[in-house]
Amino acid sequence: MSARLSSRRLLPVALSLLLGVGLAKAGDIYRWTDADGRVHYGDQPPPQGAQKVDAPPPPPLSPEEAEQRLEEIRARNAASAEARAKAREERAKAEAQREQRAAECAAARRQRDAMLAAQRIRGADGQWYTGEQRLEKLRELEKAIAEHCGGNAAR
C-alpha cells in the first residue's frame, strides 16, 4: 500500500515536469519556403532549409486597456451564460410540451379503444349514444389522435 501512496504523490510531480518540458518546446516556430516558392510556418522544422523565427511578445497593455478587455470578456461570458440559460429553458419547455402531447395522445387512444370495444356507450350526461353520435365521437377522437400523436392513429 505504501507503493501506491508514493506513486500518487509522484504523479503530480511527474506531470508537472512533462508539462514544463512541453511548454518550453512549444515556443519554437520555423519558417521555410517550398519548391513552389510558398512560405510556410510550423512548430517542427522540415527536413532541410528551415530557419528559426522568434515570435515577438504581445504588446503590453495599460491598466485601463486591461480593465476594458476584462470587462468585455465578462460581458461576453454573461451574454453566453444568459444564452445557455435561455436555451435550457426552451428545451425544458419543448420537453414539457412533448410530454403533454404524449399524455393527450394516450388519453385519446384509450377513449377510442374503449368506444370500439364497448357495445353501448353513455355520454357525460348519462344518455346512451346513438349510432350517429358514436360515429361522431369516434371521428373527434381520430382527429385528436392525429393532432396529438403526429397523425399516427394506430398504436
Side-chain angles (χ1 to χ4, degrees), residues 41-111:
Y41 292 90
D43 60 352
Q44 296 180 5
Q48 55 182 303
Q51 82 185 73
K52 187 174 177 182
V53 177
D54 291 326
L61 295 176
S62 69
E64 295 81 20
E65 290 173 323
E67 186 64 33
Q68 180 183 2
R69 285 193 183 174
L70 182 60
E71 288 303 317
E72 289 170 359
I73 291 170
R74 286 180 179 155
R76 282 194 307 263
N77 286 346
S80 178
E82 186 176 316
R84 285 190 308 272
K86 185 177 180 181
R88 271 192 305 274
E89 188 177 300
E90 288 174 0
R91 283 191 304 269
K93 184 178 178 182
E95 181 61 28
Q97 288 174 343
R98 277 192 296 276
E99 289 173 2
Q100 178 67 28
R101 284 181 61 136
E104 291 171 357
C105 172
R109 282 184 173 160
R110 279 192 308 273
Q111 289 176 0

Side-chain angles (χ1 to χ4, degrees), residues 6 18 56 69 76 84 90 103 115 123 140 144-145 155:
S6 63
L18 288 173
R69 285 193 183 174
R76 282 194 307 263
R84 285 190 308 272
E90 288 174 0
M115 185 165 284
E140 290 173 15
I145 290 170
R155 280 191 186 256

Side-chain angles (χ1 to χ4, degrees), residues 2 17 42 50 73 81 109 121:
S2 63
L17 288 174
I73 291 170
R109 282 184 173 160
I121 304 287

